[in-house]
Amino acid sequence: MRLGAALPLPAPGEATPDSFLADAARRLANTGYESIWTFDSIGRGETSPDPLMILAVAATVTKDIELATGILQIPLRETVDLANRILTAQLICGERLLLGVGFGSTKADFDAVGASFEHRFELLDSQMLALRTLIETGKYQHVDLTPWPITSRALTWMLGTWGKHVSTAARHYDGWIASAHYRTDPELATALQRYRQAGGTRAIVTNLVVNKDSDFADIRVRLEHAADIGFDDAVVVFEDATEQTLRAVRKLI
């Protein structure tokens, strides 16, 4: 099982150097993590940098590590503008970019941008056709983005979801992203079985939190279980991403 990590962010109100994000990306790459992840929220009363911009920063200071969103909330954004931003991120990140997308689950995000939380499922379904077409060809209806021909490999699309939409991830996306934040290990195992039965391939479990001042016993158990039940990747989130903690957790897998 591959191990990735969410890119650590500055603590609220903490004075940080301009190179904070770049330095954090380098540390993750240098300690052997195989992917760097960014999350997406807005309007929750906390600092939440744009996920695609963060990945662009990480791309410029790393070489081989995968760069992923987990997840980008599609219904929060206008489709053509988002396609242009994704193409820009792809220009910078190249084939390392993994685009995890999803419906969103927090009403505050939708209220902040004036989007409909109640219709988020329909919004994503209606946007994805246009978004995929724009990314693949640069054109959709009257829109022509004329993208730079940067890679021969198609962009990797992962759906972050739960419940009945797990089968959608298996049938219409390149993989599934499951959040472990509110799910027990048995619930993850059951959902993963449904995903595999529907023909799903790559499965990634995210939001495995490494608590501050932990002896790593809890995260060790969760990582071992994720590997045992068949997840292809696990993504940890650090409350305190010291060099010592990064190395200790990396050695668990």
Side-chain angles (χ1 to χ4, degrees), residues 6-23:
L7 188 69
L9 298 176
E14 180 180 291
T16 57
D18 294 340
S19 62
F20 183 95
L21 294 175
D23 293 341

Side-chain angles (χ1 to χ4, degrees), residues 38-40 49-59 67-69 72 77 81-90 92-93 97-100:
T38 61
F39 301 126
D40 184 22
D50 180 87
L52 292 173
M53 291 185 68
I54 292 178
L55 292 184
V57 171
L67 306 163
T69 59
L72 190 65
R77 297 170 174 88
D81 179 65
L82 179 57
N84 193 55
R85 290 176 52 219
I86 292 171
L87 286 166
T88 304
Q90 195 176 22
I92 300 167
C93 300
L97 181 62
L98 184 156
L99 201 66

Side-chain angles (χ1 to χ4, degrees), residues 1-6 28 31-34 208-212 214-220 223-224 234-253:
M1 184 176 72
R2 293 179 290 266
L3 186 63
L28 289 177
T31 48
Y33 289 86
E34 293 159 285
L208 293 162
V209 178
V210 180
N211 294 313
K212 187 177 182 180
S214 169
D215 62 0
F216 309 127
D218 290 342
I219 193 65
R220 179 186 291 108
L223 287 172
E224 289 175 350
V235 180
V236 293
V237 180
F238 292 97
E239 289 187 351
D240 186 19
T242 65
E243 184 91 14
Q244 181 180 3
T245 300
L246 293 179
R247 293 189 181 279
V249 172
R250 184 62 190 94
K251 290 179 181 179
L252 298 178
I253 295 291

